[in-house]
Amino acid sequence: MNLSVIILAAGAGTRMRSAKPKVLHEIAGKPLVEHVYERSLDLAAESVHIVYGHGGERLREKCHHFNRAIWSEQAQQLGTAHAVQQASTNIAENNIVLVLYGDVPLIKTQTLKKLVTTVSDNNIALLTVKLDNPDGYGRIVREAKKVVAIVEQKDATHDQLTINEVNTGILALRAGYLNTCLKKIDNNNAQGEYYLTDIIALAVADGHEIVTTEAVNSYEVEGVNDRKQLARLERIYQEEQAERIMAAGVTLADPSRIDVRGKLVIGEDAFIDVNCVFEGTVAIGNNVKIGPGCVIRSSTIEAGCIIKPYSVIDDAKIASNVEVGPFARLRPGADLKHNSRVGNFVEIKKSVLGENSKASHLTYLGDTEVGSNVNIGAGTITCNYDGANKFKTIIEDGAFIGSDTQLVAPVRVGKNATIGAGSTITRDTEADTLTLSRVNQKTVTGWQRPTKKS
Ligand code: UD1
Ligand code: CA
């Protein structure tokens, strides 16, 4: 049975007080609407229709990678029924249509699967939820257990307002029947809008059944209308990530102080201290220890590594038993081999640091290949850029680079070569040699320091 999803995303979102369309605000670094779009992909929908209005240009630009999306404009927001109609008339009659909301980001695939399987030729599948405080929601009106209508808060009677089973807005039914009903819906109500919810009373009148599925967690069907709700759902999302990580055998110093904005795959007996942020796809091996305040993005860290506090790691590859930090910065293309060490205030970009090699303090390595068993002294800088082009530095196995050395690329330091501290190296050096470029030390006796002129 073919499924078409319609995602409503035309609302202005005035309560966000933002120049940005509401559905582009983010949870875990990803636009609200993208969370919903991804659920449609999980359901293997044949087509995904996104109804947009406010900030349409910006929305489509930001979502250019939604390659399954079909965009339908709703120029004027005349109500949810009108919004659905902008897309539903293009959907094959026999398809099941599932209506989702671009500002309800935490809906679960499992819940939707369950809902969709209850659709038949002559019914409507409706997702409901029971809330302690149903304020603001459309209420589910039942007679002899059967759903007979949904009444909006503003149209409800005193008695109806006490009903705590509410409409989530999420429903599924055949496209053909949906389109027949949409033609009959008017805007004769308190808000002067075309309510999608009126479809329930129409279906009941047609003798169609309303089958309900209840959402397990109420946050699944919570919408974002303001920044407070956005923050609340962000925390719920992060709490779920933390639980998933702990279930995989990882100790978190504080599950409420970790943020995963992407995909984190992590091995057993890893430990993550407080306030770490993970972005993009990050893979971390067994027994890795991550100190507080680290930001790790799109990187691989193999088993047994120790990442010390406040290190920033972006698009790097770190082999097993490596130590990084504190205060290290690994930039794209940093490739640290087994058992290497990177200490404080070291920046590494597009460079390999070979096995057992160390750069322990205050160093910049850019476009560099460092072999194994190399020691890079404090304050070593590879001068890889002449203002226009980048050049490579090669440091062969066993070399020793004295402190405060500048290596002016392109340049090569030979195997087991030594560079004396304070040197500026502009030419290749031979294996097993000592090279230094500093001036000889001299002493001036009787030297008087200048005194301040009065
Ligand atoms: C709607 C339901 C209500 C339900 C609640 C759950 C209707 C009439 N009411 O109320 O029963 O309890 O959701 O959150 O459906 N939208 C458009 N175009 C429009 C109008 C709305 O795209 O012309 C989009 C909005 O951007 C929003 C969603 O549809 O994402 C819901 O619209 P909104 O006006 O907020 O409906 P509610 O009053 O919340
Ligand atoms: Ca709403």
Side-chain angles (χ1 to χ4, degrees):
M1 205 176 298
N2 293 331
L3 176 71
S4 290
V5 173
I6 299 179
I7 301 174
L8 301 191
T14 40
R15 277 178 284 165
M16 294 300 283
R17 299 181 137 263
S18 171
K20 185 157 82 170
K22 176 164 77 175
V23 296
L24 287 186
H25 284 267
E26 294 175 350
I27 282 188
K30 194 190 287 177
L32 299 174
V33 67
E34 190 164 353
H35 288 268
V36 183
Y37 174 74
E38 286 180 350
R39 298 297 75 75
S40 316
L41 300 185
D42 294 344
L43 294 167
E46 176 195 278
S47 57
V48 184
H49 304 257
I50 303 180
V51 180
Y52 68 97
H54 283 269
E57 279 305 300
R58 210 161 153 187
L59 186 61
R60 294 186 61 165
E61 192 185 309
K62 186 85 204 229
C63 304
H64 66 272
H65 58 293
F66 291 14
N67 39 35
R68 301 285 296 283
I70 299 165
W71 297 87
S72 305
E73 188 178 9
Q74 185 194 24
Q76 267 188 300
Q77 278 74 64
L78 303 179
T80 43
H82 178 257
V84 167
Q85 204 168 23
Q86 305 314 304
S88 64
T89 47
N90 304 320
I91 297 171
E93 272 198 12
N94 267 325
N95 276 22
I96 290 179
V97 173
L98 169 66
V99 178
L100 299 178
Y101 296 81
D103 58 357
V104 180
L106 299 191
I107 186 71
K108 290 217 189 307
T109 306
Q110 238 3 75
T111 304
L112 295 174
K113 270 191 183 150
K114 210 169 130 196
L115 180 77
V116 167
T117 53
T118 65
V119 175
S120 73
D121 280 343
N122 41 23
N123 72 6
I124 294 181
L126 181 67
L127 189 68
T128 69
V129 68
K130 288 200 178 104
L131 298 178
D132 294 337
N133 177 13
D135 214 39
Y137 288 87
R139 309 296 206 277
I140 305 293
V141 182
R142 291 179 185 265
E143 276 170 18
K145 292 195 175 158
K146 290 201 152 152
V147 177
V148 292
I150 297 175
V151 281
E152 290 306 297
Q153 167 106 3
K154 288 177 181 152
D155 303 295
T157 65
H158 193 75
D159 276 356
Q160 285 168 337
L161 287 176
T162 65
I163 299 171
N164 75 339
E165 187 187 12
V166 304
N167 176 30
T168 64
I170 295 171
L171 48 79
L173 73 165
R174 291 258 188 240
Y177 187 60
L178 170 66
N179 284 320
T180 308
C181 289
L182 288 176
K183 282 186 212 136
K184 296 184 192 161
I185 291 175
D186 62 28
N187 62 353
N188 193 5
N189 53 50
Q191 300 186 83
E193 286 185 9
Y194 295 89
Y195 289 165
L196 179 63
T197 45
D198 285 353
I199 202 171
I200 301 301
L202 284 173
V204 170
D206 283 345
H208 284 199
E209 200 192 343
I210 312 300
V211 279
T212 57
T213 297
E214 225 182 287
V216 187
N217 307 297
S218 63
Y219 65 77
E220 280 189 64
V221 296
E222 266 177 53
V224 172
N225 294 302
D226 55 32
R227 310 251 181 182
K228 197 174 157 193
Q229 288 167 333
L230 183 69
R232 180 184 138 73
L233 292 189
E234 174 80 39
R235 281 309 102 206
I236 291 170
Y237 179 92
Q238 294 302 345
E239 212 173 284
E240 282 196 334
Q241 300 304 308
E243 277 168 18
R244 183 181 60 77
I245 291 163
M246 291 187 290
V250 176
T251 298
L252 299 180
D254 181 353
S256 70
R257 283 186 287 169
I258 175 172
D259 283 71
V260 180
R261 302 178 190 147
K263 194 173 169 218
L264 174 60
V265 182
I266 181 160
E268 283 177 14
D269 292 316
F271 172 80
I272 303 177
D273 214 323
V274 299
N275 295 331
C276 292
V277 177
F278 298 88
E279 297 177 336
T281 299
V282 174
I284 294 178
N286 293 351
N287 297 306
V288 170
K289 282 195 173 59
I290 299 179
C294 292
V295 179
I296 302 177
R297 185 170 187 281
S298 307
S299 295
T300 314
I301 301 175
E302 288 179 11
C305 288
I306 299 177
I307 311 298
K308 295 178 184 171
Y310 303 102
S311 294
V312 177
I313 298 175
D314 182 8
D315 201 3
K317 255 173 73 184
I318 305 178
S320 54
N321 290 342
V322 169
E323 281 184 25
V324 173
F327 301 103
R329 179 166 185 217
L330 302 182
R331 291 173 52 204
D335 184 355
L336 277 42
K337 302 298 189 198
H338 174 74
N339 214 33
S340 58
R341 301 268 178 282
V342 172
N344 43 236
F345 309 110
V346 172
E347 174 181 344
I348 299 186
K349 187 218 75 170
K350 214 173 173 185
S351 295
V352 180
L353 185 63
E355 274 194 37
N356 307 317
S357 290
K358 292 177 192 163
S360 298
H361 337 262
L362 301 155
T363 284
Y364 173 63
L365 297 176
D367 306 298
T368 302
E369 267 173 44
V370 179
S372 56
N373 301 303
V374 169
N375 187 75
I376 310 272
T380 297
I381 306 285
T382 54
C383 308
N384 59 329
Y385 184 51
D386 64 3
N389 300 295
K390 303 260 171 75
F391 300 95
K392 270 191 101 156
T393 301
I394 293 170
I395 302 171
E396 294 184 356
D397 296 349
F400 181 96
I401 311 296
S403 296
D404 193 25
T405 292
Q406 301 97 52
L407 297 155
V408 181
V411 72
R412 172 188 295 266
V413 176
K415 208 170 169 184
N416 295 320
T418 303
I419 306 294
S423 295
T424 301
I425 301 299
T426 54
R427 292 191 306 271
D428 293 359
T429 76
E430 295 295 316
D432 303 306
T433 57
L434 166 68
T435 304
L436 40 149
S437 74
R438 60 187 185 230
V439 279
N440 278 334
Q441 183 167 329
K442 62 179 179 184
T443 301
V444 177
T445 49
W447 170 253
Q448 293 289 317
R449 271 189 241 155
T451 53
K452 201 172 173 88
K453 294 194 181 95
S454 56

